Amino acid sequence: MAAALPAEWIKNWEKAGKNEFLQLCRTLSENKSHDNVSFRDIQQVLYELAYHVIRGNLKHDQASNVLGDVIELREDMPSILADVFCILDIETSCLEEKSKRDHFTQLVLACLYLVSDTVLKERLDPETLESLGLIKQSQQFNQKSVKIKTKLFYKQQKFNLLREENEGYAKLIAELGQDLSGNITSDLILENIKSLIGCFNLDPNRVLDIILEVYECRPEYDDFFVPLIESYMYMCEPQTLCHILGFKFKFYQDPSGETPPSLYRVAAVLLQHNLIDLEDLYVHLLPGDNAIIEEHKREIVEAKQIVRKLTMVVLSSEKTEEKEKEKEKEEEKTEKPPDNQKLGLLEALLKIGDWQHAQSIMDQMPPFYSTSHKPIAIALCQLVHVTIEPLYRRVGVPKGAKGSPISSLPNKRAPKQADSFEDLRKEVFNMLCYLGPHLSHDPILFAKVVRLGKAFMKEFQSDGSKQEDREKMEILFSCLLSITDQVLLPSLSLMDCNACMSEELWGMFKTFPYQYRYRLYGQWKNETYNSHPLLVKVKAQTIDRAKYIMKRLTKENVKPSGRQIGKLSHSNPTILFDYILSQIQKYDNLITPVVDSLKYLTSLNYDVLAYCIIEALANPEKERMKHDDTTISSWLQSLASFCGAVFRKYPIELAGLLQYVANQLKAGKSFDLLILKEVVQKMAGIEITEEMTMEQLEAMTGGEQLKAEGGYFGQIRNTKKSSQRLKDALLDHDLALPLCLLMAQQRNGVIFQEGGEKHLKLVGKLYDQCHDTLVQFGGFLASNLSTEDYIKRVPSIDVLCNEFHTPHDAAFFLSRPMYAHHISSKYDELKKAEKGNKQQHKVHKYITSCELVMAPVHDAVISLHLPKVWDDISPQFYATFWSLTMYDLAVPHSSYDREVNKLKVQMKAIDDNQEMPPNKKKKEKERCTALQDKLLEEEKKQLEHVQRVLQRLKLEKDNWLLAKSTKNETITKFLQLCIFPRCIFSAIDAVYCAHFVELVHQQKTPNFSTLLCYDRVFSDIIYTVASCTENEASRYGRFLCCMLETVTRWHSDRVIYEKECGNYPGFLTILRATGFDGGNKADQLDYENFRHVVHKWHYKLTKASVHCLETGEYTHIRNILIVLTKILPWYPKVLNLGQALERRVHKICQEEKEKRPDLYALAMGYSGQLKSRKPFMIPENEFHHKDPPARNAVAATVQNGPGGAGMPTSLTINTAKLEESTAEETEKLKEKSQGAVKVINKAANTTPKVTTSNGNSASNSKIIKEKDDKEKSGKEKDKEKKEKITAATPETKALGKDGKDKPKEERANKDDKAREIKEKTPKSDKEKEKAKKEEKASKEEKSKTVVTTVESKSAAEKEREKEPSREKDVVKDMKSKEITKGGEKIPVAGSLKSPVPRSETSESEREQKRRKVDTHSSPSHSSTVKDNLNELKDSSAKHYINHTTPTLSKSKEREVDKKDLDKSRERSREREKKEEKDRKDRKRVGETSMN
């Protein structure tokens, strides 16, 4: 109830107020239920009454009267009243109004009889007491009270001093100091102590202090003193013991004081037994927590300053540096740190094993602050030693090591010792985390922890545990990784170089997967060094030292520098390697000395190096391209080179690096393939270079031993171990096939995804790098993986192409070794099954094994292409082409001989060497002999193998080319799907393609036109060249070189030509109906006409080359120069073509000198080589006969085309066919030739009279021929054909109507007809067609003058009409021969900007004609005929326009004409008789085939 005095009571005090007040006071006094409440209410009532008096509302005597009545209501009422006066005293003394103070004084005076003086003296202010008259002087009163208080509270009684009661204290010390080994117990002594206290009146606190002092001196009696103190404390207040200890600690807190360890120990034991609370004692200890935090911050700042000093470039004299060092030493001497009692107590707690309290103290401090003090760290290490002892003895001690067992702590309250790995998690891991990097103080404990980790990993990796145990193990593994990250690696950084620790740690690390290891290294390198001042300093010192070493590292001092690097790397590998790699990226000349100097590293350091390399490669801040955006950055090239060298030389795990490359490829980035390329090259010794000589290439087609000896630039011995390591890394982590597939897919990715905005030159380089690495990597797998490994990993060809979207060339490249392995293993099985040694049996078994292995492949490849592809070439042929290699086709005998001779020379040199010790001589000779034997054995083995393969091909060849459409189409498919993709795959594949074409020819493969194949390859190379990358251009050049080599060999000698080509189906020029005997000599291309064809090919190559050089396009010029350089041994052979090329290349040199230096360098290089070849070039008339060969032989004169002896027939066939078609049809054909691509099929139907009995196949042939021309040979080829097409009709008419008027034109026309037939006849197809053609030809030969419908005339009439014109034609042909001699080379040279003038109009006309037929798709077979005539027209125009052509005088010409006329008449009559007979035969064959 809130008591208050209403104002009415005061106003009517005498009447009613006084009584009401008294009644209120009585009520409050009687209310005993709530003492506190009533007490406060009474205080308030009395206070308000007194306050009314002070304010003057009530007189003091009235108040004193009523208070007199109230005072009797409670015993404590005077005291309550005194409290009220005390409060009012304070309040009134602060007021400025004096009247109120006076009222208060009067009230107190009036109430003096109610409250005793003593109570008032206690509670009122001395000055108030003086004014009341209760004391005389307030000052004296104050002094007196101070003296009394001092006497009461501060003056010691005399019996508390030892010297006053020495007997009692002496007895006490004697009691505590006696021998305690007997039956004396703490209880007995306690009773004696109590007696002494009572007897001698001793101070109990002093006694307790003495007990603690004695305990300090006798620490070994814990079991006695602890119970004694515990029992004694029952007699004291709980805080007494803590205060006494605190007082003891305070005594030593002077700057010079040093707290004794015994005191720390006593405090620690008492804390452990919970006799005192840590919180109570902690406040008595110095320094304060704030001071500790400040000190920690200061250490961090100092560490950063040291780092700054070390990283700054200070150019000061040595003297100033020495002075600074001296100053620092002086400062260190003067600043002695004050005694840290908290750390002292912590150390004592750790020593006795009180981990809980120790942990509490550590938690109060900054991280690792406490353990940064060596005594604490050592104490904690010792505690860990004790805790892990049983487990370490059981699982950690290495075999054969005795070790020194550590006894457990005597007290039972110490942490429980670990008996299992699970126990480690409870306490040990926690202790290690508090230790942090300061485990470095105890290398032995470091080794123990690592060994326990190793033992745990062994158990963790065994699969025999249950699910629950597995989960626990997972948690433990996670804890182990944390300990490694937070404790082991930082501790290693702080250790003095300790190679043993590094190796010990690797023992555990190698059990972790590399992902975990690299994560740990990353944390160590990028985060750990910033976590502690000490580590910050260590990092700076390591970098400083690394700089010092790297500045002085050279090839000459590799050994001493290597030792220094090794020493530095044992503790801080991440920092050191980071710096070394940064230097390598800047200065690539450091690579070799650095690699050599790394031989003193530990296994852990090598692993860290691998991580640092990957981190450097993945650095997102570094650009992978140079500023010009056309080349890969030099830092990446340097790192790649370093990678290759270091991984080869040292046993570093490769998995991480390989996975990194795979991940980059997955992300569509191919720059880092450079790394893989270098690693494979260095580790496996497999080089991929476009600069291989032909000798090296030849060696590469042999066995492994020959490849190693003669195929590579560098020495590739001693790669067995490193290549084994690479293979193991790939297989263990299943990276072999994924890397291959990713590279194969990335080739296109480079162009279409990655190459988006990049410079074309860079895209080409990246494509080449990707492709080369694939070839190199595939080669490594093929030569190093076992058959089982390879077959197990590489899927079938259809899966590779259809599911993994691997390009076909790459898919076959990967599958090829698998087929070879498979076939050889099957062959071995069959040999074992039947032991027949006859060569025939062996071949039969080999062929059987081939069929078994390749049959599924034949089925698989069908899905790779559209069904119509297999109309022309069989799946068997396709698979055979892609599955064979040069090793299968030919034995490089010269290479084997060369290497064997080298070894013989080497052995002779060893014999002659007098200085070599005999033992070494013997060893070297043995090595050479063994190598020689291996090579000879390998050669023999390859020879047998090649013979078997050739036998197999001989049996297969008849089913190879089906030619269901046309031979032309077959060749198109062969080039498109086989030759072109493979010839640019690798240098060996380029050689293989050329050899394979030759092989197919030599095998007399049905339906294969060698002539057509070579013609298609050489006729127009512009588009092929333009679409190549740099390396592809080089390989394409090699392919052309090998093709030219074959052609040149045939061209060089008639005997060779007759032997290798004379009677081969590949050189048939008239394509007869299928099934017709193709052995007719008349259908073969004769030697001289072959030479004309070769000249045409050379001319075409020149034309294409000049075109490319004139485009101004970087890629065109670069590629054609590369190709020209490669084919230099065989082209140019003709002087005028060589001169034309030379002039154009010279112009390139001048134009590109300033603009594009790389093109200038290429052009200059080629130009120089071209000049050196000049002496070997020959004039055109020596290259192929331009004068009439054997003038008395008319047949030879006529045979100017590829028609061989039967040439006139084929010529007249072609001409007459054109006459046969109406003028209207001719017009239609022209229209179509100008762009009606969509009417291809109609064309065959709209020209029924021209279409032969094999019209469909002919038209198909032509259609696909034209398509393929566009795809493979490019538009330039089309242009040439179209020139011929547009020229053909009018020229033929002219021939027919006006033969006599235009002798020169006729001659040139005849000559070029012959040549054109060389070019074009192979492109018509099938024997049916030949038969039909010749049937019509016999009619058409006789009627050249008639151009319109010849159909109405009978065959006999045609013959009669044709007779004279044919004779004239022969004469003209003779003359055209003469003119061609002079004229042939001139148009060529002219077209190549030769000095000979050419008519501008004719040039433009030809261009127009070209344009007209740019999109022509060759509607029907008639266009084939036109093609042939067209080129005749083209060339005749050239000759006719040329004013420098004639080389003979007119009179001589006439004589020759007459002779030739006579001869030709005789010949023509004989020929016509023969043809009449042939015609009837062919007609029959043609009709049967139509039916």
Side-chain angles (χ1 to χ4, degrees), residues 405-421:
I406 294 173
S407 54
S408 60
L409 289 170
N411 75 61
K412 291 170 185 174
R413 291 172 184 260
K416 186 192 168 213
Q417 288 185 303
D419 291 312
S420 68
F421 291 116

Side-chain angles (χ1 to χ4, degrees), residues 439-440 442-443 446 490-498 501 571-572:
L439 178 59
S440 56
D442 192 344
F446 185 98
S491 300
L492 189 65
S493 295
L494 291 180
M495 279 186 187
D496 289 334
C497 58
N498 191 332
M501 282 303 107
S571 305
N572 296 284

Side-chain angles (χ1 to χ4, degrees), residues 585-596:
Q585 289 170 52
K586 290 175 194 165
Y587 314 109
D588 57 359
N589 58 342
L590 276 174
I591 293 172
T592 310
V594 166
V595 170
D596 291 342

Side-chain angles (χ1 to χ4, degrees), residues 1164-1413:
M1164 283 299 287
Y1166 178 67
S1167 179
Q1169 292 179 58
L1170 189 62
K1171 279 174 187 164
S1172 68
R1173 298 286 307 169
K1174 225 170 178 182
F1176 303 103
M1177 292 185 203
I1178 54 173
E1180 189 181 341
N1181 57 356
E1182 289 181 32
F1183 191 80
H1184 68 137
H1185 285 302
K1186 300 190 71 176
D1187 293 312
R1191 290 190 182 186
N1192 55 349
V1194 180
T1197 321
V1198 178
Q1199 290 167 10
N1200 192 19
M1207 202 58 232
T1209 319
S1210 59
L1211 264 173
T1212 45
I1213 288 166
N1214 290 338
T1215 318
K1217 275 189 182 176
L1218 189 70
E1219 292 171 30
E1220 195 179 49
S1221 66
T1222 61
E1224 190 183 357
E1225 286 167 335
T1226 312
E1227 276 307 305
K1228 283 182 189 173
L1229 284 172
K1230 277 188 187 176
E1231 282 167 26
K1232 285 174 190 172
S1233 73
Q1234 285 166 8
V1237 181
K1238 293 177 184 175
V1239 256
I1240 291 166
N1241 295 328
K1242 287 182 187 176
N1245 304 325
T1246 52
T1247 54
K1249 291 167 188 173
V1250 182
T1251 307
T1252 60
S1253 59
N1254 191 18
N1256 289 339
S1257 65
S1259 66
N1260 287 348
S1261 148
K1262 202 58 195 166
I1263 291 158
I1264 296 175
K1265 163 81 176 108
E1266 285 297 318
K1267 277 186 191 169
D1268 214 68
D1269 282 346
K1270 286 176 185 173
E1271 286 172 26
K1272 293 291 170 189
S1273 305
K1275 292 177 184 173
E1276 197 65 23
K1277 192 164 185 178
D1278 288 353
K1279 286 181 185 175
E1280 285 181 19
K1281 289 180 197 165
K1282 289 145 197 171
E1283 289 170 26
K1284 299 159 197 170
I1285 292 165
T1286 46
T1289 315
E1291 184 58 35
T1292 317
K1293 288 178 184 175
L1295 282 170
K1297 293 176 183 174
D1298 205 9
K1300 290 178 184 177
D1301 295 341
K1302 296 188 178 179
K1304 282 185 185 178
E1305 208 168 319
E1306 279 283 340
R1307 283 196 295 271
N1309 203 351
K1310 266 288 189 182
D1311 173 56
D1312 271 6
K1313 273 184 196 174
R1315 177 158 311 166
E1316 190 48 45
I1317 285 163
K1318 285 178 282 177
E1319 294 171 36
K1320 295 296 173 184
T1321 313
K1323 293 177 186 171
S1324 52
D1325 201 359
K1326 291 199 176 183
E1327 312 306 340
K1328 297 181 201 170
E1329 203 170 9
K1330 292 179 196 171
K1332 190 70 179 171
K1333 268 185 177 179
E1334 295 200 2
E1335 183 196 334
K1336 288 203 174 190
S1338 61
K1339 299 172 188 175
E1340 288 159 9
E1341 278 169 4
K1342 296 157 192 171
S1343 57
K1344 273 198 178 179
T1345 48
V1346 183
V1347 180
T1348 54
T1349 52
V1350 190
E1351 295 166 0
S1352 56
K1353 297 187 178 182
S1354 69
E1357 279 174 285
K1358 282 179 190 174
E1359 255 182 288
R1360 280 196 298 277
E1361 282 175 24
K1362 194 64 194 161
E1363 193 67 42
S1365 71
R1366 269 196 59 74
E1367 288 168 3
K1368 287 171 193 171
D1369 279 353
V1370 174
V1371 177
K1372 285 167 193 167
D1373 198 356
M1374 292 288 292
K1375 289 183 182 177
S1376 79
K1377 275 292 182 188
E1378 294 166 28
I1379 292 164
T1380 307
K1381 278 71 175 179
E1384 179 67 16
K1385 66 181 175 185
I1386 292 161
V1388 173
S1391 69
L1392 303 171
K1393 308 284 188 286
S1394 73
V1396 181
R1398 286 192 61 184
S1399 159
E1400 286 302 310
T1401 53
S1402 75
E1403 188 69 16
S1404 64
E1405 267 176 42
R1406 289 170 69 243
E1407 286 304 318
Q1408 282 169 5
K1409 288 167 187 173
R1410 239 182 238 162
R1411 276 185 223 108
K1412 275 182 191 176
V1413 287

